[in-house]
Amino acid sequence: MNPAPEPSPTALQVTVVNGNLRFVPQPLLLGHYRSAALAGTEHVMDELIGGAMATALALGHYPEQPRSYEVFVNTRAARDNPLQLPRPKAVIVVGLGEEGTLKPVDLVRTVSAGVVAWARRLAESTEPDPRPLEIAATLIGSGGTGITAAQSASLVVEGVLAANERLSTSAWPRVHRLHLVELYLDRATEAWRTLRAQSAAGPAGFTLDEVIATGGGALRRPIDGGYRGARYDLITALSDEGRGGVSYTVDTRRARTEVHAHAMQKPLLRDLVAKASGAANQDGIGRTLFRLLVPVELEPFLAGTTDAVIELDGGTSGIPWEMLDIRTEGAAPARPWALGTRLLRKLRIKTHRTRVQDSTPSDRVLIIGEPACDPARYDRLPGARAEAEAVTRCLLAAGLDRDDVMGLFSRDPADLGARAGRVINTLLSDDWRIVHISGHGEAPREDGPAEEPRGVVLSDGIFLGAQEIRSMRVVPELVFVNCCHLGARAPGDLLEEGGYDRPRFAATVAEALIEVGVRCVVAAGWAVEDRAAQAFATTFYRQLADGSRFIDAVAAAREAAYAVGGNTWAAYQCYGDPDWTFRVKPAGTVAEPAPPEQAFANVASPTALVLALETIAVNSAFDEDEKGRLRANVEHLEERFADRWGGRGAVAEAFGRAWAEADRARAIAWYARALEANDGGASLWAVEQLGNLRVRVAWEGVSPWNASAGAPPSQDRLDAARAEIQAALGLLERLADAVQSTSERESLCGSAWKRLALVEAIAERPQAEEQAIARMKERYARAEELARGSGDAPLFYPALNRMAAELVADAAAPGWPGFDAARVEEVRASLQAAAASDPDFWSVAGLIELRLYEAVARGGLAGARASLEKDFADLQKRVASEWLWASADDQLEFVLSRYRNRASGPEREAADALLALLRGYAGRPLS
């Protein structure tokens, strides 16, 4: 075998990282599929850099189309911040367009453009950075359909290489190292394997690290086994020209798969569609449509989805997908699929407006009801006028001013509505956020000329059609068109991709709206019943006014119309962005999370349960919102599976880990159950955590913030806490002394002695306190030496605790020389190395802690107070875990409570303020 080629000294260095993005120090490159909300990574990064991304999205100045980009510099970073926090330095957002349409060549060029933009920003900086340029990136585009994690890794690297080639002709900096960051190990591994294969095949322009780096907050794989960046499943159903059937692609949170074209008899399908659109005839049609349209291998995906977008083309958009009945054989009668699943449509078109000027929150709402038309040809529509009135009342009741809502309908039921000239002039003379139209609609005539496209019927033989829609300079966010036959194509056009004229197809108003860039469209596919239509419309707008997402408002509206009866609920074909809201909430807010029964619906094995609990524990440590949902999530899983699999060691241990963030007493019970499991599935880590939790809970039971009305705990409570800590110490010391001494186990023993010293201080037993502190120093010193000798354990953690013991035991004594300068620099170097290469809570908190100890040692805590508070606050935005902050709070309680007793004035005030800050982060009452 020929040896691998020597890498070029200027080759791009690529590191694949399995970890959470919150501690990424490099400028971060990420992608944005067209959406009205910042979700997932974008939402998190926006919070960390100061909110500029959400502001840009709300102002319509956010990259959406491929090859568009925007650089958001981290405005929260301070020059005087010695920790170089917050991270990242900047976020470079690149547009990806509509999900499912991203082409590999566009992703490469988009990444390249984003990298060049950042290089330009650096070159223009008044304070150039002499260090080689490093950049981080997510697996861009892989959260949607069509781009896998492996493809994304390859294309992102190709994009960076293309940028470097362009930059080589300029003085702007080139990228020296690319960090590809992925939360899930299975996806990181997929990316790494692909890049390794490329690198091994020959000169690739880059060199790949030999292993995947592990960062903080890493997870093994998604709970559902699949991955999507969006909360909804995407099902593509496109017409197949050759076989006259439907070709499916499925991208769900459980799996991604392709299903070949499913052939069918087109005449039979047309007949069923015609019957389904009848006002009353729907018996059994949904089940027949399901069997005719859906291949057997697709059934599990449809049955398992809760939020779905179905992408259609001209040949499949006329099918009433909303009416599909997917119940299994022998099951009780089930409601149609679109009621059990929140379902939206998406239309795949080849022509669209390239530059879209969106409306703004200052634009108004236009409601058109029963416009005047020839009474000899068209019946009056009192239901359309009543619907317009009801929608107007609904929006006004929701808080919109009368000036915000323009009602273009007759207030007198006996009068005709607005004539054609007024309708067209009103529509085009102003900018509108929402346009609602209810009236007559006419599809193109089969024998009519292409320049007579028809649309909404107006007076004087005039129609509101595609030409008028294209004349709108500012595009509404939502258009609701309740007109007979307007949303559906002629039955003869179904599945005839090559058999229809695209201008005639584009002439229907609903499709023209999608072409010009309207974000959300609701169009009635057939004649609707008045009472059900009004229930749909008013419920829909009421939900939007309450801040619901488009997909949720549609679901609620369908339910309301379904309750009235008939098939009006299925007539509404709803296209658009699932996360769009009426901006009652600020743009950029993340969508409401799925309830536990939905989020964990696919947990069906002990292994999947352990993974779910592990994910809950990790996410709640990094995300304040996830922490708030922890209790409900774990209780849901406990209720479902505790009796079934709780006797397994690994499962009980996972429950213990999850509960440690929310209820330590329950965590202790689960860890104890794990050790008692007959299968021996619990790890030694569970023993360590059991001992550690018992110590912490015992200390918290007598701690100052738990004292009632400032009264000290009783002697009985102190005795009980002392006995519990000593019992847990026995467990931990047996593990360290009799099984194997490690730096971590020695540190846990030191931590237990520290908390025993805190108890003895409250009990006013100074001799016992001194003895506990001496044992604490001994254990932490042993842990420090083990870390120094092994090289694979963090030196800084035990060293900082040993320094804390020095401050408590020695600093108050006359003649204390202070910390050993060489040891302090050793600790600082260990912290900086960890924070640079593998940052986590402890390494970043340790840097802050070290500065605090140095300030206390020189009596300068008051001067350092402001910067310490700022750094602690920044870290809390990244890691919200009260469990971790409780440990940091205990450390400061140990050091600062004693320092404040011998200090005065500003120094005592600084100690009290810092203690109060960390008690708040730990979720503890202030005393």
PDB file of all heavy atoms in Angstrom, residues 238-245 266 270 313-316 350 489 492-503 505:
ATOM      1  N   LEU A 238     -44.348  14.157  -4.785  1.00  0.00           N
ATOM      2  CA  LEU A 238     -44.272  14.795  -6.092  1.00  0.00           C
ATOM      3  C   LEU A 238     -44.777  13.850  -7.169  1.00  0.00           C
ATOM      4  O   LEU A 238     -44.639  12.628  -7.066  1.00  0.00           O
ATOM      5  CB  LEU A 238     -42.827  15.201  -6.398  1.00  0.00           C
ATOM      6  CG  LEU A 238     -42.141  16.087  -5.349  1.00  0.00           C
ATOM      7  CD1 LEU A 238     -40.713  16.374  -5.756  1.00  0.00           C
ATOM      8  CD2 LEU A 238     -42.917  17.383  -5.139  1.00  0.00           C
ATOM      9  N   SER A 239     -45.352  14.419  -8.208  1.00  0.00           N
ATOM     10  CA  SER A 239     -45.872  13.594  -9.299  1.00  0.00           C
ATOM     11  C   SER A 239     -44.719  12.995 -10.081  1.00  0.00           C
ATOM     12  O   SER A 239     -43.681  13.636 -10.297  1.00  0.00           O
ATOM     13  CB  SER A 239     -46.762  14.430 -10.213  1.00  0.00           C
ATOM     14  OG  SER A 239     -46.073  15.590 -10.658  1.00  0.00           O
ATOM     15  N   ASP A 240     -44.903  11.750 -10.485  1.00  0.00           N
ATOM     16  CA  ASP A 240     -43.900  11.029 -11.262  1.00  0.00           C
ATOM     17  C   ASP A 240     -44.389  10.953 -12.712  1.00  0.00           C
ATOM     18  O   ASP A 240     -45.410  10.329 -13.015  1.00  0.00           O
ATOM     19  CB  ASP A 240     -43.710   9.615 -10.699  1.00  0.00           C
ATOM     20  CG  ASP A 240     -42.663   8.831 -11.476  1.00  0.00           C
ATOM     21  OD1 ASP A 240     -41.482   9.171 -11.350  1.00  0.00           O
ATOM     22  OD2 ASP A 240     -43.053   7.898 -12.209  1.00  0.00           O
ATOM     23  N   GLU A 241     -43.673  11.604 -13.616  1.00  0.00           N
ATOM     24  CA  GLU A 241     -44.122  11.698 -14.990  1.00  0.00           C
ATOM     25  C   GLU A 241     -44.171  10.333 -15.673  1.00  0.00           C
ATOM     26  O   GLU A 241     -45.101  10.029 -16.424  1.00  0.00           O
ATOM     27  CB  GLU A 241     -43.193  12.628 -15.777  1.00  0.00           C
ATOM     28  CG  GLU A 241     -43.197  14.062 -15.269  1.00  0.00           C
ATOM     29  CD  GLU A 241     -42.282  14.951 -16.078  1.00  0.00           C
ATOM     30  OE1 GLU A 241     -42.022  14.610 -17.246  1.00  0.00           O
ATOM     31  OE2 GLU A 241     -41.823  15.965 -15.556  1.00  0.00           O
ATOM     32  N   GLY A 242     -43.179   9.515 -15.406  1.00  0.00           N
ATOM     33  CA  GLY A 242     -43.078   8.256 -16.131  1.00  0.00           C
ATOM     34  C   GLY A 242     -44.140   7.241 -15.761  1.00  0.00           C
ATOM     35  O   GLY A 242     -44.731   6.591 -16.634  1.00  0.00           O
ATOM     36  N   ARG A 243     -44.449   7.124 -14.474  1.00  0.00           N
ATOM     37  CA  ARG A 243     -45.345   6.064 -14.029  1.00  0.00           C
ATOM     38  C   ARG A 243     -46.732   6.572 -13.669  1.00  0.00           C
ATOM     39  O   ARG A 243     -47.619   5.796 -13.324  1.00  0.00           O
ATOM     40  CB  ARG A 243     -44.746   5.345 -12.819  1.00  0.00           C
ATOM     41  CG  ARG A 243     -43.404   4.682 -13.107  1.00  0.00           C
ATOM     42  CD  ARG A 243     -42.871   3.989 -11.879  1.00  0.00           C
ATOM     43  NE  ARG A 243     -43.785   2.964 -11.389  1.00  0.00           N
ATOM     44  CZ  ARG A 243     -43.639   2.313 -10.238  1.00  0.00           C
ATOM     45  NH1 ARG A 243     -42.615   2.599  -9.462  1.00  0.00           N
ATOM     46  NH2 ARG A 243     -44.493   1.394  -9.856  1.00  0.00           N
ATOM     47  N   GLY A 244     -46.922   7.854 -13.727  1.00  0.00           N
ATOM     48  CA  GLY A 244     -48.234   8.385 -13.401  1.00  0.00           C
ATOM     49  C   GLY A 244     -48.602   8.179 -11.955  1.00  0.00           C
ATOM     50  O   GLY A 244     -49.766   7.980 -11.627  1.00  0.00           O
ATOM     51  N   GLY A 245     -47.642   8.218 -11.063  1.00  0.00           N
ATOM     52  CA  GLY A 245     -47.902   8.017  -9.648  1.00  0.00           C
ATOM     53  C   GLY A 245     -47.301   9.135  -8.822  1.00  0.00           C
ATOM     54  O   GLY A 245     -47.057  10.236  -9.307  1.00  0.00           O
ATOM     55  N   LYS A 266     -55.139   6.947 -12.584  1.00  0.00           N
ATOM     56  CA  LYS A 266     -55.489   8.364 -12.533  1.00  0.00           C
ATOM     57  C   LYS A 266     -56.984   8.628 -12.669  1.00  0.00           C
ATOM     58  O   LYS A 266     -57.518   9.498 -11.960  1.00  0.00           O
ATOM     59  CB  LYS A 266     -54.701   9.122 -13.610  1.00  0.00           C
ATOM     60  CG  LYS A 266     -53.222   9.264 -13.268  1.00  0.00           C
ATOM     61  CD  LYS A 266     -52.497  10.097 -14.298  1.00  0.00           C
ATOM     62  CE  LYS A 266     -52.373   9.313 -15.608  1.00  0.00           C
ATOM     63  NZ  LYS A 266     -51.640  10.096 -16.636  1.00  0.00           N
ATOM     64  N   ARG A 270     -59.048  10.825  -9.892  1.00  0.00           N
ATOM     65  CA  ARG A 270     -59.822  12.023 -10.226  1.00  0.00           C
ATOM     66  C   ARG A 270     -61.258  11.900  -9.741  1.00  0.00           C
ATOM     67  O   ARG A 270     -61.850  12.855  -9.235  1.00  0.00           O
ATOM     68  CB  ARG A 270     -59.787  12.250 -11.736  1.00  0.00           C
ATOM     69  CG  ARG A 270     -58.408  12.633 -12.262  1.00  0.00           C
ATOM     70  CD  ARG A 270     -58.415  12.677 -13.771  1.00  0.00           C
ATOM     71  NE  ARG A 270     -57.056  12.800 -14.285  1.00  0.00           N
ATOM     72  CZ  ARG A 270     -56.635  12.246 -15.421  1.00  0.00           C
ATOM     73  NH1 ARG A 270     -57.484  11.530 -16.148  1.00  0.00           N
ATOM     74  NH2 ARG A 270     -55.408  12.400 -15.823  1.00  0.00           N
ATOM     75  N   ASP A 313     -46.282  19.371  -5.641  1.00  0.00           N
ATOM     76  CA  ASP A 313     -46.060  20.111  -6.870  1.00  0.00           C
ATOM     77  C   ASP A 313     -47.391  20.268  -7.593  1.00  0.00           C
ATOM     78  O   ASP A 313     -48.460  19.950  -7.045  1.00  0.00           O
ATOM     79  CB  ASP A 313     -45.003  19.425  -7.745  1.00  0.00           C
ATOM     80  CG  ASP A 313     -45.416  18.022  -8.191  1.00  0.00           C
ATOM     81  OD1 ASP A 313     -46.574  17.619  -7.941  1.00  0.00           O
ATOM     82  OD2 ASP A 313     -44.571  17.318  -8.785  1.00  0.00           O
ATOM     83  N   GLY A 314     -47.348  20.751  -8.837  1.00  0.00           N
ATOM     84  CA  GLY A 314     -48.576  20.984  -9.562  1.00  0.00           C
ATOM     85  C   GLY A 314     -49.410  19.746  -9.771  1.00  0.00           C
ATOM     86  O   GLY A 314     -50.638  19.820  -9.878  1.00  0.00           O
ATOM     87  N   GLY A 315     -48.783  18.588  -9.824  1.00  0.00           N
ATOM     88  CA  GLY A 315     -49.520  17.362 -10.057  1.00  0.00           C
ATOM     89  C   GLY A 315     -50.130  16.745  -8.827  1.00  0.00           C
ATOM     90  O   GLY A 315     -51.000  15.881  -8.927  1.00  0.00           O
ATOM     91  N   THR A 316     -49.710  17.155  -7.647  1.00  0.00           N
ATOM     92  CA  THR A 316     -50.219  16.535  -6.413  1.00  0.00           C
ATOM     93  C   THR A 316     -50.928  17.521  -5.503  1.00  0.00           C
ATOM     94  O   THR A 316     -51.555  17.114  -4.526  1.00  0.00           O
ATOM     95  CB  THR A 316     -49.058  15.882  -5.626  1.00  0.00           C
ATOM     96  OG1 THR A 316     -48.057  16.871  -5.350  1.00  0.00           O
ATOM     97  CG2 THR A 316     -48.446  14.731  -6.398  1.00  0.00           C
ATOM     98  N   LYS A 350     -41.154  26.453  -9.722  1.00  0.00           N
ATOM     99  CA  LYS A 350     -39.884  26.736 -10.388  1.00  0.00           C
ATOM    100  C   LYS A 350     -39.643  28.227 -10.563  1.00  0.00           C
ATOM    101  O   LYS A 350     -38.522  28.654 -10.786  1.00  0.00           O
ATOM    102  CB  LYS A 350     -39.850  26.044 -11.753  1.00  0.00           C
ATOM    103  CG  LYS A 350     -39.871  24.525 -11.658  1.00  0.00           C
ATOM    104  CD  LYS A 350     -39.856  23.893 -13.043  1.00  0.00           C
ATOM    105  CE  LYS A 350     -39.897  22.373 -12.942  1.00  0.00           C
ATOM    106  NZ  LYS A 350     -39.948  21.705 -14.268  1.00  0.00           N
ATOM    107  N   ARG A 489     -56.634  22.825  -8.326  1.00  0.00           N
ATOM    108  CA  ARG A 489     -56.469  22.790  -9.773  1.00  0.00           C
ATOM    109  C   ARG A 489     -57.546  21.902 -10.358  1.00  0.00           C
ATOM    110  O   ARG A 489     -58.167  21.110  -9.677  1.00  0.00           O
ATOM    111  CB  ARG A 489     -55.080  22.276 -10.128  1.00  0.00           C
ATOM    112  CG  ARG A 489     -53.991  23.123  -9.481  1.00  0.00           C
ATOM    113  CD  ARG A 489     -52.606  22.653  -9.841  1.00  0.00           C
ATOM    114  NE  ARG A 489     -52.398  22.810 -11.283  1.00  0.00           N
ATOM    115  CZ  ARG A 489     -52.167  21.801 -12.096  1.00  0.00           C
ATOM    116  NH1 ARG A 489     -52.162  20.575 -11.637  1.00  0.00           N
ATOM    117  NH2 ARG A 489     -51.950  21.995 -13.372  1.00  0.00           N
ATOM    118  N   GLY A 492     -58.604  17.284 -14.017  1.00  0.00           N
ATOM    119  CA  GLY A 492     -57.886  16.725 -15.157  1.00  0.00           C
ATOM    120  C   GLY A 492     -56.406  16.991 -15.122  1.00  0.00           C
ATOM    121  O   GLY A 492     -55.632  16.337 -15.826  1.00  0.00           O
ATOM    122  N   ASP A 493     -55.980  17.979 -14.326  1.00  0.00           N
ATOM    123  CA  ASP A 493     -54.550  18.291 -14.244  1.00  0.00           C
ATOM    124  C   ASP A 493     -53.808  17.443 -13.232  1.00  0.00           C
ATOM    125  O   ASP A 493     -52.581  17.504 -13.148  1.00  0.00           O
ATOM    126  CB  ASP A 493     -54.351  19.767 -13.873  1.00  0.00           C
ATOM    127  CG  ASP A 493     -54.732  20.694 -15.005  1.00  0.00           C
ATOM    128  OD1 ASP A 493     -54.732  20.237 -16.158  1.00  0.00           O
ATOM    129  OD2 ASP A 493     -55.035  21.873 -14.723  1.00  0.00           O
ATOM    130  N   LEU A 494     -54.519  16.694 -12.385  1.00  0.00           N
ATOM    131  CA  LEU A 494     -53.866  15.934 -11.343  1.00  0.00           C
ATOM    132  C   LEU A 494     -52.845  14.984 -11.933  1.00  0.00           C
ATOM    133  O   LEU A 494     -53.124  14.225 -12.848  1.00  0.00           O
ATOM    134  CB  LEU A 494     -54.891  15.137 -10.532  1.00  0.00           C
ATOM    135  CG  LEU A 494     -55.796  15.942  -9.609  1.00  0.00           C
ATOM    136  CD1 LEU A 494     -56.805  15.022  -8.975  1.00  0.00           C
ATOM    137  CD2 LEU A 494     -54.978  16.663  -8.568  1.00  0.00           C
ATOM    138  N   LEU A 495     -51.633  15.004 -11.370  1.00  0.00           N
ATOM    139  CA  LEU A 495     -50.569  14.082 -11.738  1.00  0.00           C
ATOM    140  C   LEU A 495     -50.182  14.199 -13.204  1.00  0.00           C
ATOM    141  O   LEU A 495     -49.687  13.257 -13.792  1.00  0.00           O
ATOM    142  CB  LEU A 495     -50.968  12.631 -11.413  1.00  0.00           C
ATOM    143  CG  LEU A 495     -51.392  12.398  -9.965  1.00  0.00           C
ATOM    144  CD1 LEU A 495     -51.930  11.001  -9.799  1.00  0.00           C
ATOM    145  CD2 LEU A 495     -50.228  12.644  -9.035  1.00  0.00           C
ATOM    146  N   GLU A 496     -50.382  15.361 -13.791  1.00  0.00           N
ATOM    147  CA  GLU A 496     -50.017  15.558 -15.190  1.00  0.00           C
ATOM    148  C   GLU A 496     -48.952  16.648 -15.245  1.00  0.00           C
ATOM    149  O   GLU A 496     -49.184  17.746 -15.713  1.00  0.00           O
ATOM    150  CB  GLU A 496     -51.244  15.962 -16.025  1.00  0.00           C
ATOM    151  CG  GLU A 496     -52.318  14.896 -16.113  1.00  0.00           C
ATOM    152  CD  GLU A 496     -51.920  13.751 -17.047  1.00  0.00           C
ATOM    153  OE1 GLU A 496     -50.889  13.868 -17.726  1.00  0.00           O
ATOM    154  OE2 GLU A 496     -52.651  12.752 -17.077  1.00  0.00           O
ATOM    155  N   GLU A 497     -47.761  16.350 -14.765  1.00  0.00           N
ATOM    156  CA  GLU A 497     -46.705  17.345 -14.686  1.00  0.00           C
ATOM    157  C   GLU A 497     -46.401  17.972 -16.042  1.00  0.00           C
ATOM    158  O   GLU A 497     -46.152  19.148 -16.174  1.00  0.00           O
ATOM    159  CB  GLU A 497     -45.427  16.708 -14.118  1.00  0.00           C
ATOM    160  CG  GLU A 497     -44.238  17.641 -13.994  1.00  0.00           C
ATOM    161  CD  GLU A 497     -44.441  18.727 -12.962  1.00  0.00           C
ATOM    162  OE1 GLU A 497     -45.342  18.586 -12.132  1.00  0.00           O
ATOM    163  OE2 GLU A 497     -43.705  19.713 -13.002  1.00  0.00           O
ATOM    164  N   GLY A 498     -46.427  17.144 -17.102  1.00  0.00           N
ATOM    165  CA  GLY A 498     -46.108  17.670 -18.413  1.00  0.00           C
ATOM    166  C   GLY A 498     -47.319  18.070 -19.209  1.00  0.00           C
ATOM    167  O   GLY A 498     -47.208  18.508 -20.350  1.00  0.00           O
ATOM    168  N   GLY A 499     -48.503  17.897 -18.662  1.00  0.00           N
ATOM    169  CA  GLY A 499     -49.700  18.070 -19.441  1.00  0.00           C
ATOM    170  C   GLY A 499     -50.437  19.364 -19.194  1.00  0.00           C
ATOM    171  O   GLY A 499     -51.573  19.509 -19.630  1.00  0.00           O
ATOM    172  N   TYR A 500     -49.848  20.309 -18.482  1.00  0.00           N
ATOM    173  CA  TYR A 500     -50.548  21.555 -18.275  1.00  0.00           C
ATOM    174  C   TYR A 500     -49.604  22.715 -18.552  1.00  0.00           C
ATOM    175  O   TYR A 500     -48.392  22.567 -18.547  1.00  0.00           O
ATOM    176  CB  TYR A 500     -51.106  21.653 -16.853  1.00  0.00           C
ATOM    177  CG  TYR A 500     -50.070  21.787 -15.792  1.00  0.00           C
ATOM    178  CD1 TYR A 500     -49.599  23.048 -15.428  1.00  0.00           C
ATOM    179  CD2 TYR A 500     -49.553  20.674 -15.149  1.00  0.00           C
ATOM    180  CE1 TYR A 500     -48.631  23.180 -14.449  1.00  0.00           C
ATOM    181  CE2 TYR A 500     -48.583  20.803 -14.183  1.00  0.00           C
ATOM    182  CZ  TYR A 500     -48.141  22.053 -13.824  1.00  0.00           C
ATOM    183  OH  TYR A 500     -47.186  22.177 -12.862  1.00  0.00           O
ATOM    184  N   ASP A 501     -50.200  23.859 -18.815  1.00  0.00           N
ATOM    185  CA  ASP A 501     -49.444  25.059 -19.145  1.00  0.00           C
ATOM    186  C   ASP A 501     -49.126  25.800 -17.845  1.00  0.00           C
ATOM    187  O   ASP A 501     -50.022  26.209 -17.127  1.00  0.00           O
ATOM    188  CB  ASP A 501     -50.296  25.924 -20.073  1.00  0.00           C
ATOM    189  CG  ASP A 501     -49.535  27.140 -20.562  1.00  0.00           C
ATOM    190  OD1 ASP A 501     -49.505  28.141 -19.829  1.00  0.00           O
ATOM    191  OD2 ASP A 501     -48.981  27.071 -21.667  1.00  0.00           O
ATOM    192  N   ARG A 502     -47.818  25.975 -17.552  1.00  0.00           N
ATOM    193  CA  ARG A 502     -47.439  26.552 -16.265  1.00  0.00           C
ATOM    194  C   ARG A 502     -47.989  27.956 -16.056  1.00  0.00           C
ATOM    195  O   ARG A 502     -48.433  28.258 -14.936  1.00  0.00           O
ATOM    196  CB  ARG A 502     -45.915  26.534 -16.099  1.00  0.00           C
ATOM    197  CG  ARG A 502     -45.459  27.231 -14.827  1.00  0.00           C
ATOM    198  CD  ARG A 502     -44.103  26.799 -14.424  1.00  0.00           C
ATOM    199  NE  ARG A 502     -44.116  25.447 -13.898  1.00  0.00           N
ATOM    200  CZ  ARG A 502     -44.454  25.130 -12.658  1.00  0.00           C
ATOM    201  NH1 ARG A 502     -44.827  26.062 -11.833  1.00  0.00           N
ATOM    202  NH2 ARG A 502     -44.436  23.888 -12.258  1.00  0.00           N
ATOM    203  N   PRO A 503     -48.043  28.860 -17.031  1.00  0.00           N
ATOM    204  CA  PRO A 503     -48.661  30.166 -16.752  1.00  0.00           C
ATOM    205  C   PRO A 503     -50.115  30.045 -16.326  1.00  0.00           C
ATOM    206  O   PRO A 503     -50.580  30.803 -15.484  1.00  0.00           O
ATOM    207  CB  PRO A 503     -48.518  30.908 -18.094  1.00  0.00           C
ATOM    208  CG  PRO A 503     -47.323  30.295 -18.721  1.00  0.00           C
ATOM    209  CD  PRO A 503     -47.364  28.850 -18.341  1.00  0.00           C
ATOM    210  N   PHE A 505     -51.395  27.449 -14.770  1.00  0.00           N
ATOM    211  CA  PHE A 505     -51.352  26.922 -13.400  1.00  0.00           C
ATOM    212  C   PHE A 505     -51.013  28.034 -12.417  1.00  0.00           C
ATOM    213  O   PHE A 505     -51.635  28.183 -11.357  1.00  0.00           O
ATOM    214  CB  PHE A 505     -50.322  25.797 -13.338  1.00  0.00           C
ATOM    215  CG  PHE A 505     -49.930  25.407 -11.939  1.00  0.00           C
ATOM    216  CD1 PHE A 505     -50.859  24.870 -11.071  1.00  0.00           C
ATOM    217  CD2 PHE A 505     -48.639  25.584 -11.491  1.00  0.00           C
ATOM    218  CE1 PHE A 505     -50.503  24.507  -9.784  1.00  0.00           C
ATOM    219  CE2 PHE A 505     -48.277  25.221 -10.209  1.00  0.00           C
ATOM    220  CZ  PHE A 505     -49.217  24.675  -9.359  1.00  0.00           C
TER     221      PHE A 505
END
